[in-house]
Amino acid sequence: DNSALESVRSFVLPYYERVSSRAEVRADVAFHRALFGERGYGAVATADIFKTLGASDADGWAERTLVGSNATVVIVGEVDVDAVAQAARDAFGSWAIGAKAPPPPPASRPTPTVVVTPRGGATQVEVRLGCRLPDGGGEAVPAIAARLLWRRLQQDLRTESGSTFGAHVAARQLRGGVNDLQIRTAIENA
């Protein structure tokens, strides 16, 4: 409905524009585009994109995405399993299955890129490194490698050089079999 869309444009979009103008958000968008390209995981939504969308775009997305085949119900706690299973069937059993949304297309392999985003007055510099891992496969080996790399960076950057309070390392397996490794740390300006 257009009144809901106008409400979003009036109240949410100005906030989103302010947030999108922040250096760390601009850097995050540039980082993902450099790592994944312009499609799939590199296609980060910006305020400019939201300005071009209409109610039919939102409706179409909801019809394709909010379907039973994309849903998972998880119930945790000390419960009567049979009663909870029946309640879940009662609540969601009539939900249309729909076609499962396809995963985003795999991004092309990026060329090595350096992204610099100025942030005036900053007392620290954020350093972020990302690399695409081979697509497919499991999560175990990248997760172990990320943990070992984290330990090494903690030793080198925090304990020995004292240049940071710590590094963050994560290996992720995204929908569509796309895998990456990301490293992030903040270093005091000299």
Side-chain angles (χ1 to χ4, degrees):
D1 121 25
N2 283 334
S3 64
L5 181 62
E6 288 309 314
S7 176
V8 167
R9 285 191 174 139
S10 298
F11 297 105
V12 176
L13 194 55
Y15 168 78
Y16 198 75
E17 286 175 319
R18 283 192 308 275
V19 169
S20 296
S21 70
R22 294 172 48 191
E24 58 271 26
V25 174
R26 290 192 330 269
D28 194 56
V29 168
F31 175 81
H32 280 89
R33 284 189 178 149
L35 187 58
F36 296 111
E38 294 290 325
R39 295 182 45 130
Y41 294 107
V44 180
T46 63
D48 290 337
I49 290 171
F50 284 124
K51 290 177 186 175
T52 67
L53 299 177
S56 63
D57 296 306
D59 291 341
W61 177 86
E63 287 173 15
R64 290 187 310 275
T65 308
L66 303 177
V67 295
S69 59
N70 286 336
T72 301
V73 176
V74 177
I75 301 168
V76 178
E78 188 174 330
V79 297
D80 177 333
V81 174
D82 293 331
V84 168
Q86 185 58 51
R89 281 191 294 278
D90 292 344
F92 300 107
S94 64
W95 201 6
I97 295 298
K100 189 168 184 80
S108 59
R109 292 286 171 184
T111 56
T113 304
V114 174
V115 176
V116 177
T117 305
R119 182 170 57 183
T123 60
Q124 295 181 329
V125 173
E126 180 179 303
V127 178
R128 192 166 174 186
L129 173 97
C131 75
R132 291 277 309 275
L133 302 175
D135 292 342
E139 295 180 34
V141 172
I144 292 168
R147 178 69 179 170
L148 294 173
L149 181 58
W150 173 81
R151 289 185 70 180
R152 174 71 184 265
L153 290 172
Q154 288 293 97
Q155 180 66 32
D156 292 352
L157 297 176
R158 182 177 179 164
T159 306
E160 292 181 13
S161 76
S163 57
T164 185
F165 286 111
H168 305 279
V169 181
R172 302 181 307 167
Q173 183 173 31
L174 306 170
R175 278 186 73 191
V178 175
N179 298 301
D180 73 341
L181 178 75
Q182 293 190 24
I183 302 166
R184 181 187 296 212
T185 190
I187 299 174
E188 292 292 327
N189 282 339

